[in-house]
Amino acid sequence: MNNFQFYNPTRIIFGAGSIEKLKKLVPRKARILMLYGGGSIKKNGVYMQVADALRKHELFEFGGIEPNPDYATLMKAIKSVKKNNIDFLLAVGGGSVIDGTKFISVASLYQGQDPWDIVSQGLASGIKKALPFGVVLTLPATGSEMNHNSVISNRDKGQKLSFGSEIIFPKFSILDPKVTYSLPKEQIRNGLVDAYVHILEQYLTYPVDAVVQDRQAEALLLTIHEIAQRTLQTDPPDYGARANYMWVCSNALNYLIGVGVPQDWATHGIGHALTALYGLAHAESLAVTLPWLLWYKREQKQEKLLQYGYRVLDQKMQKYSERIDRTIEALAAFFHSLGMPTTLTSYGLDPDQVADEVQTKLEAENFARGEYRDVTAADAAAILRMSR
Ligand code: NZQ
Ligand code: ZN
């Protein structure tokens, strides 16, 4: 096992009916800006629950943060922060609203010329001040409610980039599984796939004798297999499945399973380029990349592929090359069972053209990912050419 430090200060408040606890979690004298997306919280009652819990607080609001939160929208929210002397932010939404709020929390206090530099120049690690914020999670998927990452899109520049800093951990996150009842099946599918890929990015590399992390990652993967179909059930929704779905997504990317082990993240890097260029949803972009990346890297990842196949996908054949083939096929079949396509052609995209365009884009970003940092823009293109 490699050396590591682990730090995660986010308080989790889990369970049905937890939103009313907001009144005690948010400082009584705070001037709060509640941030949300395109309006799902107004239809499913979450907005009312939040407003009710905070009726004795001073509450302002900013709606309209879009999926893959856009820099221009977030800059408008920052204007509202300054105009209203806001000193506490409350994100009510999925990964996009939470990530947007993380950016707003840092950029509102940023003294430099251009806040986009925080994201594009990796300045966040040097920044010491951020507005405190809490989260009411409405879409389990990204793990953003319990980590210190944020992914921001800049549509004017055609970019989608991530940044991270210890100052952007949420102070608290409320996880009420009942808020997932209004999710369309497609979003649940996206959430399950995103979490699954987060686990594999931290697990499917090379062995470093990290038995705890491996077994924990496998437990999370097996959990997703076990609950997936029950979670997709909508009529009526299954509370137990939704509770496990919510908690597995947070655990997939609160970095506990990533301590002391090599990490990959090439699929995410390529996926972000696909979202920026073609508008695929985040999880869709991962599913058209990952199986092909595994074919492409099957020798380098051989030991972990064999272990993953044996322990998680029940692929126990003794001939190693055959077990690896069946393992990658079983992964793709699992995604298909959730209704998630695994090829670019399923979206009417031409893999050759996509490969060329992604290569040009990633070359400009000096792309180098993978557990050995050896997945380059040219490798990304070779991987995407297979996605048919
Ligand atoms: O905007 P509203 O109307 O609220 O609708 C949203 C949105 O259209 C809807 N939704 C959310 N909760 C709902 C609901 N609809 C009905 N009922 C509910 N309870 O779902 C749609 C998608 O929401 P979004 O927040 O965009 O989805 P997700 O949570 O998948 O977040 C995706 C973003 O997170 C980034 C992605 O790149 C993408 O920008 N990621 C962030 C990470 C992190 N911070 O650690 C890691 C991830 O790998 C990922 O990159
Ligand atoms: Zn992801």
Side-chain angles (χ1 to χ4, degrees):
M1 193 186 303
N2 302 331
N3 294 358
F4 68 85
Q5 288 193 19
F6 183 67
Y7 172 69
N8 193 320
T10 300
R11 178 187 302 276
I12 299 294
I13 301 95
F14 190 97
S18 296
I19 294 176
E20 60 131 5
K21 301 218 161 59
L22 269 175
K23 56 177 173 281
K24 295 231 165 94
L25 291 161
V26 179
R28 182 65 191 85
K29 296 246 158 77
R31 292 172 68 81
I32 311 159
L33 183 64
M34 166 186 182
L35 297 132
Y36 57 93
S40 69
I41 64 164
K42 292 206 165 153
K43 292 190 204 127
N44 63 11
V46 171
Y47 178 92
M48 281 312 294
Q49 288 184 59
V50 172
D52 193 39
L54 295 176
R55 64 184 179 280
K56 294 195 177 147
H57 284 72
E58 189 136 24
L59 187 61
F60 300 80
E61 65 178 63
F62 181 92
I65 298 181
E66 57 281 268
N68 307 303
D70 193 39
Y71 177 68
T73 308
L74 305 176
M75 292 308 291
K76 286 185 197 149
I78 289 169
K79 274 199 184 143
S80 172
V81 168
K82 292 186 175 161
K83 184 171 146 226
N84 298 306
N85 288 321
I86 298 297
D87 53 20
F88 196 93
L89 305 173
L90 182 66
V92 185
S96 294
V97 171
I98 304 170
D99 285 5
T101 301
K102 288 174 173 175
F103 176 74
I104 294 163
S105 90
V106 174
S108 294
L109 304 181
Y110 180 63
Q111 301 292 333
Q113 282 282 312
D114 182 1
W116 181 244
D117 291 347
I118 299 170
V119 183
S120 63
Q121 310 294 318
L123 298 185
S125 55
I127 293 177
K128 300 278 176 280
K129 280 193 300 183
L131 287 176
F133 68 96
V135 169
V136 176
L137 179 68
T138 65
L139 168 45
T142 63
S144 188
E145 68 280 6
M146 203 178 170
N147 72 33
H148 57 308
N149 282 340
S150 168
V151 187
I152 305 297
S153 296
N154 189 325
R155 286 169 177 75
D156 288 343
K157 295 186 195 289
Q159 289 180 310
K160 179 174 182 183
L161 300 172
S162 62
F163 74 101
S165 162
E166 281 191 359
I167 59 174
I168 56 167
F169 276 109
K171 294 285 169 227
F172 62 80
S173 287
I174 296 184
L175 276 57
D176 177 345
K178 285 201 170 168
V179 307
T180 70
Y181 288 4
S182 57
L183 282 171
K185 269 193 180 170
E186 192 180 86
Q187 293 298 346
I188 300 173
R189 169 203 78 168
N190 288 353
L192 291 165
V193 168
D194 193 20
Y196 199 93
V197 179
H198 293 158
I199 302 163
L200 288 186
E201 298 265 33
Q202 300 164 88
Y203 167 78
L204 210 44
T205 57
Y206 57 87
V208 291
D209 199 14
V211 179
V212 177
Q213 292 89 325
D214 276 7
R215 293 286 185 186
Q216 283 178 326
E218 288 154 6
L220 299 178
L221 292 167
L222 287 164
T223 300
I224 295 178
H225 283 280
E226 187 172 329
I227 64 161
Q229 291 305 329
R230 273 206 294 146
T231 305
L232 286 165
Q233 192 180 300
T234 50
D235 196 18
D238 178 330
Y239 180 81
R242 298 301 176 98
N244 283 291
Y245 159 50
M246 208 168 214
W247 191 221
V248 83
C249 289
S250 301
N251 278 278
L253 200 54
N254 63 10
Y255 290 104
L256 186 61
I257 61 168
V259 297
V261 296
Q263 301 188 17
D264 183 336
W265 299 110
T267 297
H268 268 71
I270 298 168
H272 288 172
L274 293 173
T275 299
L277 290 171
Y278 312 105
L280 293 191
H282 175 59
E284 292 171 344
S285 76
L286 306 176
V288 298
T289 305
L290 177 67
W292 311 104
L293 178 135
L294 296 179
W295 285 115
Y296 188 76
K297 284 283 176 192
R298 55 182 288 150
E299 277 172 33
Q300 218 172 64
K301 289 180 180 289
Q302 169 170 303
E303 283 177 81
K304 277 310 210 32
L305 274 168
L306 291 168
Q307 179 178 317
Y308 165 57
Y310 191 93
R311 294 184 182 175
V312 179
L313 298 172
D314 208 23
Q315 301 298 327
K316 303 202 165 152
M317 48 288 278
Q318 286 310 308
K319 198 165 164 229
Y320 282 180
S321 65
E322 195 188 334
R323 195 196 301 171
I324 291 174
D325 290 351
R326 296 293 92 79
T327 294
I328 302 173
E329 283 165 13
L331 164 66
F334 175 58
F335 286 175
H336 299 159
S337 76
L338 306 176
M340 178 60 91
T342 53
T343 57
L344 286 166
T345 44
S346 318
Y347 297 96
L349 293 165
D350 170 11
D352 293 319
Q353 191 187 337
V354 169
D356 290 343
E357 289 170 356
V358 168
Q359 181 166 357
T360 306
K361 180 170 172 47
L362 293 182
E363 268 164 6
E365 293 169 13
N366 293 320
F367 188 78
R369 296 262 180 126
E371 56 273 28
Y372 296 106
R373 300 252 155 242
D374 63 346
V375 180
T376 63
D379 295 301
I383 289 163
L384 293 173
R385 253 179 249 289
M386 297 160 77
S387 182
R388 57 180 83 229

